[in-house]
Amino acid sequence: MISSQCVSMASAAIRQARKEIDWLAVLPAQAAQAVLKTYFQAWKNCWDGRADAPGFKRRFRSVMSVDIPQGRDLNVTRVHRRWGMVNIPKVGRVRFRWTRDLPVGSHANKENRITGPRLVKDALGWHIAFRVQTLEPRPEPHTGPEVGIDMGITVPLALSDGDTRTHGEWLTEKEAAKLLRLEQRAAHRKRFRKRGERTSNRLRATYDQIAGLRARAKRKAADWQHRTTTGSPRSTA
């Protein structure tokens, strides 16, 4: 088991490193503490038999993400209806797509505020997600009938009352044809690569295009799931 003494020694080592290393001192202290907490939790899960021993993340098998624990110095502003600006440490002012209301300016207070963002990179580029602390009214108790949901293949969602939810193809006909063509090209180029040989730039570019199309389809699927669970009129599109 990880004792509190080990945690205190590791925290002291991080504080000392922040005094000696300039670039580490610029980063928020909570970021280093969060990494330390995750590391200790990984070993605890291993010793409890819930997971394997922690190791280094593989570059191409993990999602690249950066947590910014503090929301105090973000200075989030809305430029106009579709775009906003945020201050990212060590990066500067960054523009992002404004997709929903955020508690900024006069709408922000101790009970309704942004506590920090998370930067995530996928095949379509970098994205930012804000953590928001807000007070929501207690929902009214549900008094309607209970409905069971069955997830299938022929019918995506079938309800116990006889209703169903369906969706169309995630990719357009042109995008599906392009995906098939790229997959065939990648398979053809991979046949000529020798064992242990470094992946060529052309093959890597083809893989990136394939990942971009698959990420687009995955995003459409997630959007359909959100709209269906919230009862949006576009959920059956």
Side-chain angles (χ1 to χ4, degrees):
M1 297 297 293
I2 300 175
S3 62
S4 58
Q5 184 179 2
C6 294
V7 177
S8 300
M9 292 176 61
S11 299
I14 290 178
R15 289 193 296 269
Q16 183 64 29
R18 287 174 58 84
K19 296 179 181 179
E20 300 175 355
I21 304 176
D22 295 337
W23 65 265
L24 188 60
V26 176
L27 298 176
Q30 290 84 350
Q33 297 293 338
V35 174
L36 181 64
K37 182 179 179 181
T38 303
Y39 180 70
F40 284 156
Q41 184 63 40
W43 276 113
K44 185 177 184 303
N45 293 338
C46 175
W47 293 333
D48 292 344
R50 297 193 297 268
D52 296 331
F56 292 100
K57 286 187 176 180
R58 295 181 180 271
R59 178 182 177 186
F60 300 106
R61 293 188 179 181
S62 59
V63 178
M64 186 180 298
S65 61
V66 179
D67 275 320
I68 303 176
Q70 290 180 341
R72 179 182 55 196
D73 301 325
L74 293 177
N75 191 18
V76 180
T77 57
R78 188 167 189 171
V79 179
H80 52 79
R81 185 176 61 88
R82 297 184 62 184
W83 295 97
M85 296 285 290
V86 60
N87 186 44
I88 303 298
K90 304 292 290 184
V91 176
R93 297 293 288 171
V94 177
R95 187 177 68 166
F96 66 93
R97 184 73 176 268
W98 196 284
T99 57
R100 62 181 59 192
D101 293 334
L102 294 173
V104 296
S106 60
H107 299 283
N109 50 53
K110 292 183 178 180
E111 298 178 348
N112 190 27
R113 59 190 176 90
I114 297 175
T115 60
R118 179 181 177 89
L119 303 176
V120 182
K121 185 180 181 182
D122 61 8
L124 298 177
W126 284 95
H127 311 279
I128 185 169
F130 292 97
R131 296 186 299 272
V132 178
Q133 175 184 334
T134 181
L135 290 179
E136 295 289 342
R138 183 181 297 274
E140 297 293 335
H142 178 68
T143 58
E146 297 180 355
V147 179
I149 300 177
D150 183 24
M151 301 179 62
I153 299 177
T154 305
V155 179
L157 289 179
L159 307 182
S160 58
D161 59 359
D163 195 8
T164 59
R165 296 289 188 272
T166 59
H167 59 76
E169 297 293 336
W170 302 131
L171 295 177
T172 63
E173 184 177 350
K174 185 177 180 180
E175 290 174 337
K178 182 180 180 180
L179 177 61
L180 177 60
R181 184 170 64 253
L182 290 172
E183 290 175 341
Q184 293 174 345
R185 183 187 303 172
H188 177 74
R189 290 176 176 173
K190 189 177 180 180
R191 287 193 313 172
F192 297 96
R193 191 183 64 174
K194 298 180 181 179
R195 187 180 184 88
E197 185 179 1
R198 181 178 176 274
T199 304
S200 64
N201 292 333
R202 288 187 176 182
L203 182 56
R204 192 177 298 279
T206 304
Y207 285 153
D208 291 340
Q209 294 181 56
I210 293 174
L213 288 172
R214 291 178 177 174
R216 190 185 302 272
K218 184 178 180 180
R219 183 176 296 183
K220 290 182 179 180
D223 179 72
W224 179 82
Q225 292 175 358
H226 289 311
R227 292 183 181 275
T228 301
T229 54
T230 55
S232 173
R234 295 176 55 188
S235 62
T236 59

